[in-house]
Amino acid sequence: MNTSSAPTDRTRIRRLAELASYEQSSLHAVIDAAYLCHIAFQDAKGTHCIPTACWRQGEYLYIHGSNGGRLTRILTSGIQACVTITHLDGLVLARSAFNHAMNYRSAVIYGCFEKVQDQADKHEALALFMEKLAPGRQTQCRPGNDKEMAATTIMRIALDEAAVKIRTGGPQDDDEDMDIPVWAGVLPFAQVHTQPVIDSLCNVAEPDYVREWVK
């Protein structure tokens, strides 16, 4: 996919290396299209992989959590973590069972999370998160108060050590299988916006980002 070298040995993709990308633009695109990531880490009780909301600001991936939560407590202790994001774009149906595949965009990020200490930076990070969820929403809803902000930890991980892997296109059958009389092609997946569901107690007119949710 590109000729850039992997940032580290553990990010080097060896299986289907031609699908790899180490460009920051590719990494940004995968993160920016995601609302959730999975974070793997290890503690005295074993190995865990936790899903959580995520967003990007510059060259960092951000998450947030409760001060007393296990995820927050462990990730802010300086341990190594691995963050993954995957978008499934299609099922690739080949003529041979072993040549079936999936089209996808995925990213793996390694490193240590750090706590965002500055209060202004915390407010800015959460405002960006809200803007990602619904552009314009931040200026309309009640911002977090001092108690809520004090109970919340914002964490970030640098995007210095990461790799992206992307597969597109149709099946890649062996020559000897091309005459097998079976349907071959791609069953696409797409993330779609469905009709907004208004809260039964809401009597406020729909803002632009709600009206435009379904296009």
Side-chain angles (χ1 to χ4, degrees):
M1 187 170 175
N2 72 69
T3 58
S4 299
S5 59
T8 65
D9 187 61
R10 66 178 173 177
T11 60
R12 183 174 294 106
I13 294 177
R14 295 170 173 82
R15 172 65 178 161
L16 299 176
E18 67 275 12
L19 304 181
S21 174
Y22 307 105
E23 298 288 347
Q24 289 299 92
S25 58
S26 299
L27 178 61
H28 291 176
V30 172
I31 297 173
D32 292 346
Y35 292 98
L36 294 171
C37 67
H38 287 77
I39 304 176
F41 58 91
Q42 190 172 41
D43 66 6
K45 295 183 178 180
T47 302
H48 315 278
C49 184
I50 306 298
T52 189
C54 66
W55 68 100
R56 182 182 65 85
Q57 182 178 355
E59 296 304 320
Y60 290 89
L61 178 140
Y62 283 74
I63 63 171
H64 73 295
S66 170
N67 291 351
R70 178 178 62 177
L71 184 67
T72 299
R73 185 177 67 256
I74 293 176
L75 291 183
T76 55
S77 69
I79 70 161
Q80 285 284 321
C82 178
V83 182
T84 62
I85 295 171
T86 303
H87 304 284
L88 178 60
D89 296 323
L91 302 179
V92 183
L93 307 186
R95 293 161 181 83
S96 162
F98 275 80
N99 282 330
H100 282 59
M102 295 182 183
N103 286 339
Y104 59 88
R105 292 157 290 144
S106 65
V108 177
I109 304 161
Y110 293 96
C112 297
F113 278 86
E114 61 182 14
K115 184 186 297 187
V116 177
Q117 301 283 4
D118 184 81
Q119 289 301 306
D121 291 342
K122 286 180 64 175
H123 280 278
E124 179 184 6
L126 287 175
L128 288 172
F129 178 42
M130 186 64 65
E131 187 69 12
K132 174 175 182 173
L133 294 178
R137 182 79 175 174
Q138 175 65 23
T139 61
Q140 298 175 357
C141 63
R142 176 182 68 79
N145 58 36
D146 291 343
K147 181 179 180 181
E148 291 167 332
M149 294 298 295
T152 302
T153 298
I154 308 299
M155 294 163 281
R156 66 182 191 177
I157 186 171
L159 303 179
D160 299 334
E161 191 178 2
V164 171
K165 197 173 182 181
I166 299 174
R167 189 200 190 280
T168 60
Q172 298 178 1
D173 280 297
D174 299 325
D175 291 341
E176 59 268 27
D177 294 329
M178 293 302 295
D179 293 331
I180 297 175
V182 62
W183 189 91
V186 179
L187 302 179
F189 278 87
Q191 186 179 71
V192 297
H193 294 180
T194 58
Q195 193 65 34
V197 179
I198 189 170
D199 181 77
S200 60
L201 301 179
C202 178
N203 57 9
V204 178
E206 293 179 344
D208 290 344
Y209 53 82
V210 174
R211 287 194 299 270
E212 297 173 2
W213 181 250
V214 179
K215 296 182 179 179

